């Protein structure tokens, strides 16, 4: 009999690639979600997946997951320590492995590069704080002889079907219009600030590996990113080149940038760029055998190409790559 893996939130960015991977690997897969949204990319393997509708906000959610009788539970949509703790309490003694999706935002602004799992600074903001608290709780749970857990912490997830974090650290579509037209792009700061992307299928690979290599993954946390990171200047130059242009960059202070950018996009740029994240994947490579297929620029290009082809991103000219 094949092992049963329950994936909570399997119709999202990671699950789009993870669920078909698990089916191909021979697992019996159950996808738990609040609704019936389809995955971002279709795959025939979804026909073999059992779909269960359940809302995490319901008090009986941990019981519902436990009743599914999983050998491993993959939790892709947990954002608070309270919710994570309730699931751990219910699965202890009921499931063999809980694999949690965290975030690189459990780490604050970088002091050195690359950042390893044990060298990051304290998180900023409620989202990062909660992800860090969850990861620490999970490590303590396993170390104390409780539920076997693993936490994986992806970078900025990129894939076909949604907008990538762009060269200015935001989702502002005007950045792509500007670069594609060869117009000057106002850049806050020095242009050397880093962002660390990762393709959704590489993240899915890491979850599949953590399940398959449970003993190596037990009680551990792993950063999951592309082999390299992009800084603002390099990202803009590469992106402009996709449209046959060099990047014309105008460096401005953050105060000047905020006067012309929308509050939403200016805040997103600040949140991404002031952290200036660049991570090491040595631990994931050595313990899990993680081998990402995508460099960040290849992942972003795939996403941008899909958006343009589907009329979801307006640019001044065609891609030349």
């Amino acid at each position: 009999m094949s092992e049963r893996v329950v994936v909570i939130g399997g119709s999202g960015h990671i699950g789009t690639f993870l669920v078909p991977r698990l089916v191909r690997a021979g697992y019996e897969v159950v996808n738990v979600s609040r609704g019936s949204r389809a995955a971002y990319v279709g795959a025939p393997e979804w026909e073999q997946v059992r779909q269960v509708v359940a809302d995490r906000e319901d008090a009986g959610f941990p019981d519902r997951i436990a009743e599914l009788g999983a050998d491993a539970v993959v939790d892709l949509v947990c954002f608070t320590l309270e919710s994570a703790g309730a699931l751990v309490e219910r699965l202890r003694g009921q499931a063999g492995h809980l694999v949690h999706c965290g975030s690189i935002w459990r780490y604050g602004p970088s002091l050195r590069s690359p950042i390893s799992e044990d060298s990051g600074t304290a998180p900023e903001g409620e989202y990062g704080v909660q992800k860090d608290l969850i990861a620490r709780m999970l490590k303590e749970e396993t170390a104390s002889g409780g539920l076997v857990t693993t936490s994986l912490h992806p970078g900025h997830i990129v894939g076909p079907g949604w907008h990538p974090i762009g060269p200015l650290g935001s989702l502002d579509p005007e950045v792509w219009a500007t670069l594609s037209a060869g117009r000057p792009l106002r850049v806050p700061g020095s242009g050397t600030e880093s962002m660390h992307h990762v393709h959704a299928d590489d993240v899915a690979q890491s979850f599949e590996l953590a399940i398959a290599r449970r003993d190596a993954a037990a009680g551990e946390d792993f950063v999951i990113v592309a082999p390299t990171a992009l800084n603002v200047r390099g990202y803009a130059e590469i992106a402009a080149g996709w449209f046959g242009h060099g990047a014309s960059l105008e460096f401005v202070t953050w105060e000047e940038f905020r006067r012309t950018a929308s509050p939403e996009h200016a805040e997103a740029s600040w949140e991404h760029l002031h952290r200036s994240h660049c991570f090491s994947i040595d631990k994931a490579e050595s313990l899990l055998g993680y081998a990402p297929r995508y460099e960040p620029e290849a992942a972003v290009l795939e996403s941008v190409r899909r958006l343009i082809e589907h009329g979801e991103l307006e640019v001044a000219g065609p891609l030349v790559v």
Side-chain angles (χ1 to χ4, degrees):
M1 180 181 295
S2 61
E3 291 190 7
R4 178 178 297 170
V5 179
V6 169
V7 182
I8 303 173
S11 301
H13 297 161
I14 300 169
T16 287
F17 294 92
L18 174 60
V19 168
R21 273 179 167 270
L22 294 175
V23 172
R24 290 193 297 269
Y27 295 101
E28 176 190 350
V29 182
V30 180
N31 176 42
V32 178
S33 59
R34 289 185 300 177
S36 57
R37 186 185 73 181
Y40 287 91
V41 179
E45 290 84 1
W46 282 95
E47 297 177 6
Q48 303 176 52
V49 176
R50 176 184 171 190
Q51 302 288 343
V52 172
V53 176
D55 191 333
R56 189 175 208 117
E57 297 304 313
D58 293 341
F61 183 81
D63 289 333
R64 187 73 181 96
I65 299 302
E67 290 165 0
L68 293 173
D71 296 288
V73 174
V74 174
D75 193 352
L76 299 176
V77 288
C78 180
F79 305 106
T80 68
L81 179 62
E82 180 183 10
S83 183
L87 188 61
V88 166
E89 288 286 339
R90 187 61 182 86
L91 293 180
R92 192 182 295 128
Q94 299 293 315
H97 193 189
L98 172 64
V99 187
H100 169 82
C101 183
S103 168
I104 58 170
W105 278 23
R106 70 173 295 202
Y107 303 103
S110 62
L111 297 181
R112 64 176 67 189
S113 293
I115 303 166
S116 68
E117 285 78 2
D118 299 323
S119 69
T121 60
E124 296 180 347
E126 187 63 14
Y127 175 78
V129 167
Q130 288 294 317
K131 286 296 188 182
D132 185 54
L133 289 172
I134 293 168
R136 292 176 183 277
M137 179 272 290
L138 294 175
K139 286 179 76 76
E140 292 171 3
E141 168 70 18
T142 303
S144 65
L147 180 66
V148 174
T149 69
T150 304
S151 62
L152 302 173
H153 300 271
H156 310 313
I157 301 174
V158 184
W162 63 92
H163 287 255
I165 295 297
L168 296 188
S170 73
L171 296 175
D172 186 358
E174 186 60 29
V175 172
W176 297 102
T178 298
L179 289 171
S180 66
R183 300 195 303 265
L185 179 69
R186 289 168 62 86
V187 175
S190 67
T192 59
E193 298 86 356
S194 296
M195 293 163 278
H196 216 148
H197 294 74
V198 62
H199 194 285
D201 187 52
D202 285 333
V203 180
Q205 175 202 146
S206 71
F207 277 87
E208 181 184 358
L209 287 167
I211 294 168
R213 304 186 181 188
R214 171 186 151 177
D215 289 347
E220 299 290 350
D221 53 355
F222 299 92
V223 168
I224 304 298
V225 289
T228 59
L230 291 171
N231 65 27
V232 172
R233 186 194 304 269
Y235 191 173
E237 287 286 357
I238 291 168
W242 297 338
F243 301 95
H245 302 292
S248 175
L249 305 180
E250 178 186 345
F251 296 97
V252 298
T253 66
W254 277 99
E255 290 74 16
E256 291 174 300
F257 181 72
R258 288 191 173 96
R259 283 200 291 268
T260 57
S262 73
E264 174 190 1
H265 296 316
E267 181 61 20
S269 292
W270 170 256
E271 291 291 344
H272 286 88
L273 301 187
H274 93 282
R275 286 175 167 83
S276 195
H277 279 161
C278 174
F279 291 90
S280 167
I281 56 174
D282 287 351
K283 182 177 178 181
E285 287 178 321
S286 63
L287 292 186
L288 297 181
Y290 175 58
R293 294 174 52 231
Y294 286 83
E295 288 288 349
E297 59 267 35
V300 174
L301 176 58
E302 181 184 88
S303 173
V304 168
R305 190 187 304 278
R306 168 77 172 257
L307 292 170
I308 293 172
E309 290 173 349
H310 286 74
E312 298 175 32
L313 182 64
E314 293 186 10
V315 291
L319 292 165
V320 297
V321 292

Coordinates of all heavy atoms in Angstrom, one line a residue, residues 176-212:
W176 N 7.7 46.8 -15.7 CA 7.9 46.0 -16.9 C 7.6 46.9 -18.1 O 8.4 46.7 -19.1 CB 7.0 44.8 -16.9 CG 7.4 43.9 -15.7 CD1 6.7 43.7 -14.5 CD2 8.5 43.0 -15.6 NE1 7.4 42.9 -13.7 CE2 8.5 42.4 -14.4 CE3 9.6 42.8 -16.5 CZ2 9.5 41.5 -14.0 CZ3 10.6 41.9 -16.1 CH2 10.5 41.3 -14.8
A177 N 6.6 47.7 -18.1 CA 6.4 48.6 -19.2 C 7.5 49.5 -19.5 O 7.9 49.8 -20.6 CB 5.1 49.4 -19.0
T178 N 8.1 50.1 -18.4 CA 9.2 51.0 -18.5 C 10.5 50.3 -19.1 O 11.1 50.8 -20.0 CB 9.5 51.6 -17.1 OG1 8.4 52.3 -16.6 CG2 10.7 52.5 -17.2
L179 N 10.8 49.1 -18.5 CA 12.0 48.4 -19.0 C 11.8 48.0 -20.5 O 12.8 48.0 -21.3 CB 12.3 47.2 -18.1 CG 12.8 47.5 -16.7 CD1 12.8 46.3 -15.9 CD2 14.2 48.2 -16.8
S180 N 10.6 47.5 -20.8 CA 10.4 47.0 -22.2 C 10.5 48.2 -23.2 O 10.7 47.9 -24.4 CB 9.0 46.3 -22.3 OG 8.0 47.2 -22.1
A181 N 10.2 49.4 -22.8 CA 10.3 50.5 -23.7 C 11.6 51.2 -23.7 O 11.8 52.1 -24.5 CB 9.2 51.6 -23.3
G182 N 12.5 50.8 -22.8 CA 13.8 51.4 -22.7 C 13.8 52.8 -22.1 O 14.8 53.6 -22.2
R183 N 12.7 53.1 -21.3 CA 12.6 54.4 -20.6 C 13.4 54.3 -19.3 O 13.7 53.2 -18.8 CB 11.2 54.7 -20.3 CG 10.3 54.8 -21.6 CD 9.0 55.6 -21.2 NE 8.3 54.9 -20.2 CZ 7.3 54.0 -20.4 NH1 7.0 53.6 -21.6 NH2 6.7 53.4 -19.3
P184 N 13.8 55.5 -18.8 CA 14.5 55.5 -17.5 C 13.6 54.9 -16.4 O 12.5 55.3 -16.3 CB 14.8 57.0 -17.3 CG 14.8 57.6 -18.6 CD 13.8 56.8 -19.4
L185 N 14.2 54.1 -15.5 CA 13.6 53.5 -14.4 C 14.1 54.1 -13.1 O 15.3 54.1 -12.9 CB 13.8 52.0 -14.4 CG 13.1 51.3 -13.2 CD1 11.6 51.3 -13.4 CD2 13.6 49.8 -13.2
R186 N 13.3 54.7 -12.3 CA 13.7 55.3 -11.0 C 13.9 54.2 -10.0 O 13.0 53.4 -9.7 CB 12.6 56.3 -10.5 CG 12.6 57.6 -11.4 CD 11.3 58.4 -11.0 NE 11.3 58.8 -9.6 CZ 11.9 59.9 -9.2 NH1 12.6 60.7 -10.0 NH2 11.8 60.3 -7.9
V187 N 15.1 54.1 -9.5 CA 15.5 53.0 -8.6 C 15.9 53.6 -7.2 O 16.8 54.5 -7.1 CB 16.8 52.3 -9.2 CG1 17.3 51.3 -8.1 CG2 16.4 51.6 -10.5
P188 N 15.2 53.2 -6.2 CA 15.5 53.7 -4.8 C 16.7 53.0 -4.3 O 16.9 51.8 -4.5 CB 14.3 53.3 -4.0 CG 13.8 52.1 -4.7 CD 14.0 52.2 -6.1
G189 N 17.6 53.8 -3.6 CA 18.8 53.1 -3.0 C 19.9 53.1 -4.0 O 20.0 53.8 -5.0
S190 N 20.8 52.1 -3.8 CA 22.0 52.0 -4.6 C 21.9 51.0 -5.7 O 22.8 51.0 -6.6 CB 23.2 51.5 -3.6 OG 22.9 50.1 -3.2
G191 N 20.9 50.2 -5.8 CA 20.8 49.2 -6.9 C 21.5 47.9 -6.6 O 21.5 47.0 -7.4
T192 N 22.2 47.8 -5.4 CA 22.9 46.6 -5.0 C 22.2 45.7 -4.1 O 22.6 44.7 -3.7 CB 24.3 47.0 -4.4 OG1 24.0 47.8 -3.2 CG2 25.2 47.8 -5.3
E193 N 21.0 46.1 -3.7 CA 20.1 45.4 -2.8 C 19.7 44.1 -3.5 O 19.3 44.1 -4.7 CB 18.9 46.2 -2.3 CG 19.3 47.4 -1.6 CD 19.5 48.6 -2.4 OE1 19.5 48.5 -3.7 OE2 19.8 49.7 -1.9
S194 N 19.7 43.0 -2.8 CA 19.4 41.7 -3.4 C 18.0 41.2 -3.0 O 17.4 41.5 -2.0 CB 20.4 40.6 -2.8 OG 21.7 40.9 -3.3
M195 N 17.5 40.3 -4.0 CA 16.3 39.6 -3.8 C 16.6 38.1 -4.1 O 17.3 37.9 -5.1 CB 15.1 40.1 -4.6 CG 14.6 41.5 -4.3 SD 13.7 42.2 -5.7 CE 15.0 42.8 -6.7
H196 N 16.0 37.2 -3.4 CA 16.3 35.8 -3.7 C 15.0 35.0 -4.1 O 14.2 34.7 -3.3 CB 16.9 35.1 -2.5 CG 18.0 34.1 -2.9 ND1 19.1 33.8 -2.2 CD2 18.0 33.3 -4.1 CE1 19.8 32.9 -2.9 NE2 19.2 32.6 -4.0
H197 N 14.8 34.8 -5.4 CA 13.7 34.2 -6.0 C 13.9 32.6 -6.0 O 15.0 32.1 -5.7 CB 13.4 34.6 -7.4 CG 13.0 36.0 -7.5 ND1 13.9 37.1 -7.4 CD2 11.8 36.6 -7.8 CE1 13.3 38.2 -7.6 NE2 12.0 38.0 -7.8
V198 N 12.8 31.9 -6.3 CA 12.9 30.5 -6.4 C 11.7 30.0 -7.3 O 10.6 30.5 -7.1 CB 12.9 29.7 -5.1 CG1 11.7 30.0 -4.3 CG2 13.2 28.2 -5.3
H199 N 11.9 29.1 -8.2 CA 10.8 28.6 -9.0 C 9.9 27.7 -8.2 O 10.4 26.9 -7.3 CB 11.4 27.8 -10.2 CG 10.3 27.6 -11.3 ND1 9.3 26.6 -11.1 CD2 10.1 28.1 -12.5 CE1 8.6 26.6 -12.2 NE2 9.0 27.5 -13.0
A200 N 8.6 27.8 -8.4 CA 7.7 27.0 -7.6 C 8.0 25.5 -7.7 O 7.8 24.7 -6.7 CB 6.3 27.3 -8.0
D201 N 8.5 25.0 -8.9 CA 8.7 23.6 -9.0 C 10.0 23.2 -8.2 O 10.1 22.1 -7.7 CB 8.9 23.2 -10.5 CG 9.0 21.7 -10.7 OD1 8.2 21.0 -10.1 OD2 10.0 21.2 -11.3
D202 N 10.9 24.1 -8.1 CA 12.1 23.8 -7.2 C 11.6 23.7 -5.7 O 12.2 22.9 -5.0 CB 13.2 24.8 -7.4 CG 13.9 24.6 -8.7 OD1 14.0 23.5 -9.2 OD2 14.5 25.6 -9.2
V203 N 10.7 24.6 -5.3 CA 10.2 24.5 -4.0 C 9.5 23.1 -3.8 O 9.6 22.4 -2.8 CB 9.2 25.6 -3.7 CG1 8.7 25.5 -2.2 CG2 9.9 27.0 -3.8
A204 N 8.7 22.8 -4.8 CA 8.0 21.5 -4.8 C 8.9 20.3 -4.6 O 8.7 19.4 -3.9 CB 7.1 21.3 -6.0
Q205 N 10.0 20.4 -5.4 CA 11.1 19.4 -5.3 C 11.6 19.2 -3.8 O 11.7 18.1 -3.3 CB 12.3 19.8 -6.2 CG 13.5 18.8 -6.1 CD 14.8 19.5 -6.5 OE1 15.8 19.2 -6.0 NE2 14.7 20.3 -7.5
S206 N 11.8 20.3 -3.1 CA 12.3 20.3 -1.8 C 11.3 19.6 -0.8 O 11.7 18.8 0.1 CB 12.6 21.7 -1.3 OG 11.5 22.5 -1.0
F207 N 10.0 19.8 -1.0 CA 9.0 19.2 -0.2 C 8.9 17.7 -0.5 O 8.8 16.9 0.4 CB 7.6 19.8 -0.4 CG 7.4 21.0 0.4 CD1 7.8 22.3 -0.1 CD2 6.8 21.0 1.6 CE1 7.6 23.4 0.6 CE2 6.5 22.1 2.4 CZ 7.0 23.4 1.9
E208 N 9.0 17.3 -1.7 CA 9.1 15.9 -2.1 C 10.3 15.2 -1.5 O 10.2 14.1 -0.9 CB 9.1 15.7 -3.6 CG 9.1 14.3 -4.1 CD 9.2 14.1 -5.6 OE1 9.3 15.1 -6.3 OE2 9.3 13.0 -6.0
L209 N 11.4 15.9 -1.5 CA 12.6 15.3 -0.9 C 12.5 15.2 0.6 O 12.9 14.2 1.2 CB 13.8 16.2 -1.3 CG 14.3 16.2 -2.7 CD1 15.3 17.3 -3.0 CD2 15.0 14.8 -3.0
A210 N 11.9 16.2 1.2 CA 11.8 16.1 2.7 C 10.9 15.0 3.1 O 11.2 14.3 4.1 CB 11.2 17.4 3.2
I211 N 9.8 14.7 2.3 CA 9.0 13.5 2.6 C 9.7 12.2 2.4 O 9.7 11.3 3.3 CB 7.7 13.6 1.8 CG1 6.9 14.8 2.1 CG2 6.9 12.3 1.9 CD1 5.8 15.1 1.1
A212 N 10.4 12.1 1.3 CA 11.1 10.9 1.0 C 12.3 10.7 1.9 O 12.7 9.5 2.2 CB 11.6 11.0 -0.5

